[in-house]
Structures are given as C-alpha cells and as structure tokens.
Amino acid sequence: MIVLGIETSCDETAAALVDDGRRILADVVLSQREAHLPYGGIVPEIAARAHLDVLDALIRDALAAAGIGLDAVDGIAATAGPGLIGGLLVGVMTGKGIAAARGLPFLAVNHLEGHALTARLTDGIAFPYLLLLVSGAHCQFLAVEDVGRYRRLGTTVDDAAGEAFDKVARMLGLGYPGGPAVERMAATGDASRFALPRPMLGRDGCDFSFSGLKTAVRQAIEALPPGPVAAGDAADLAASFQAAVTDIVLDRAGHAIARFRARHAASGTLVVAGGVAANAALRAGLAGLAARERMNFVAPPLRLCTDNAAMIAWAGVERLRRGLVDPLDAPARPRWPLDPDAPRAPGAGVKA
Ligand code: KG4
Ligand code: ZN
C-alpha cells in the first residue's frame, strides 16, 4: 500500500510517498523561509499563494523521486488542520482533486496526528506511548492509545515552546525561524550568566507556561546597553533561555510520566515530536530522564521533527489500513485538537 501525503498547514510545502512497510519512497519539502524573512514571521496570505504556486510541481517531483506514477498510489492524504486556513485549503483541494480524478480514497489528516505517529514510521513502536508534542503552536503531553485515540495529560497555559523560541530569537535580532537560530547561538553562550525564571517548576500536573520566561528575557535585554544586542550577550541569553526551557520541560515530563504510568503501567516508551524536538539540548535532557525512569526513548531524525509530508502520508497509511477514509466534503479545520474532550487549559487562548 502506497499513500501520497500533502502538507501545507504552515510555511512548508511538502509532498511524500510512504508505504505500509514503513518505507519513505520520496519526501520533498520546500521551505517558504525566504518569502517570509522580510516580515520576521509568517504572513498567511503569502503562505497560501506560495503553496499554490509550487504544490503541483512538488507532487510531480515526489512521484519522480519514487520512480512511480499515480497508478501505483492507493490513497491521498492531505493535512486538513490545524493550521492557516489558506494553506490548508490549497492542500486539501489538491488532494481531493487527485482523489476524485483517480477514484482513490481521500484521507483528511490532523497535522498533530502526523507528528504523533511519526515514531511508528521511524521506529515501529507499539501503542500506547507517552508523547511530548512540542512545535511552534503546540506544547502538550498526550497518551497515544491508538490511531485517532489521544488523551491529553497537560498543555501550555500560554505560549507554545516553539513560539517562545521564535519570540526570543526576534528579541535578540536572530531572525526567523527562531528555534534553530537560538540553538546555534546558545552553543557558544554561558547558560549560568542570566538567572531566568522556570515557571511551573515543581507544580502539580504537567501543564506548561512560557510567557513569564519570555518577559524575563525581554527585561534582561532592556537592562543591557541600548542598541542591538552584542553577540556575546545574545549567546549568553540564548544559552540561559534554552537551559530554562529544558529544565521546565524535564520537570513537567517527570510529572507526565507518573500520570501516564498510573494508567498504562506496562508500557514504557517516551516519544518527543514536533519542530522543537529538533533541539539537541532538549533531546539529550529527555533521553537522560527516560534512562533514569527506565523508559524507552524515541526521537525522530531531525528532518522528520520539523514539518514534512512523510508524516502525513504515514498517518494516511495508518488510517487507510483501518478503513478510516474521509468523504470528499471533509472540511479544512484551522482549529482541530487531537483530544476534543480535554478541558481548555486555564488562561489558554484560542489555539488548538
Ligand atoms: O512542527 P513545526 O515544524 O511546525 C509547527 O507545526 O509548528 O515546528 C516549528 C517550531 C518553530 O517554532 C521553530 O522555531 C521550532 O519548531 N524549532 C526549534 C528548533 N527547530 C525548530 N526550536 C528549538 N530548537 C530547534 N533546533
Ligand atoms: Zn508541525
């Protein structure tokens, strides 16, 4: 079984072909970084147009890279949410068009489910497992019980971790996307120079908060000499910030592991996924925590942490083999939580 995956929810246009033997036959990603760079963040209208301009060619590229035609494809999976509605519509309409023209099943995939199931593509792990999903818009712990069955254990009450990285990068003049830039800067910095707060540390439960940390970084910058932040100061601030994020996440993860174990005593895998999972300091910290807790730890290769279509194609494979096919009027959904029963986090905004 081969599924074509399409990803257009944010600022990466991507197409991939994955089979049910967990092989990635093709995986092409085109970043819109250059188009958004002058604005210091993602402009939804520019993103939607850019997806429209390149998606058809990208799908052709993926088929060529895999050395197959559409006649060899068994299903079309497209990210249907959550994300920017203009981009989602481009991907969903393209996917539906191909499915209708070829008489193939269409799979409307939740982007977060793509991240959540990546560890089954890369490592073939069994359900259930504990997932830390950390991306630009999301920061949550989920018990992944089956395809389509996710129980949220904790989430951020304000910013997502990736959002905090992006905002700190902007304050330090490091550009966008911020996570990789902050990580590079942090490598040469002194993490002990700035005493930044660790919100929620030691508190019950496994919710997150990053806005106080972000404010503390801004105040530290304001206390520096006026003008652009000097490279040495930026490196020390980046390192201090990254260390604070890592401490917060590890503390929260300890609580999440306890909650997960209370329900799934026999199972022992911790998975990290989403763009921020590319951060080496965070990965190393989580690997250490998992070892201390005697848990198996899975972090996908960097390329499959940030947005891609292989994860969407794989979620399509998982859904198709369970017969979870979607109708051609399935909507694009800007907001689409993985666990619809989870209570709104206290203080949380409208983010999914
Ligand atoms: O999953 P993703 O590619 O897109 C979303 O679905 O949000 O995640 C993007 C986020 C951005 O906030 C980006 O700054 C962050 O992941 N990120 C990182 C790193 N690479 C990407 N954050 C910290 N360290 C990194 N190396
Ligand atoms: Zn993502």
Side-chain angles (χ1 to χ4, degrees), residues 10-87:
C10 194
D11 60 341
E12 254 102 30
T13 319
L17 290 147
V18 171
D19 75 9
D20 58 350
R22 295 175 32 224
R23 272 185 302 265
I24 300 175
L25 310 178
D27 173 21
V28 289
V29 182
L30 202 65
S31 169
Q32 302 176 356
R33 213 185 81 88
E34 304 296 323
H36 300 288
L37 208 50
Y39 306 96
I42 299 161
V43 183
E45 288 305 315
I46 292 177
R49 278 169 199 279
H51 289 305
L52 195 56
D53 285 344
V54 299
L55 183 57
D56 286 0
L58 215 62
I59 292 170
R60 270 195 288 273
D61 288 352
L63 289 165
I68 60 171
L70 275 174
D71 49 335
V73 172
D74 300 288
I76 312 291
T79 301
L84 300 171
I85 187 67

Side-chain angles (χ1 to χ4, degrees), residues 7 9 111-112 115 133 135-136 274-275 305-308 311:
E7 160 61 39
S9 68
H111 178 88
L112 305 175
H115 281 303
L133 179 57
S135 70
C305 286
T306 46
D307 287 350
N308 65 86
M311 68 180 191

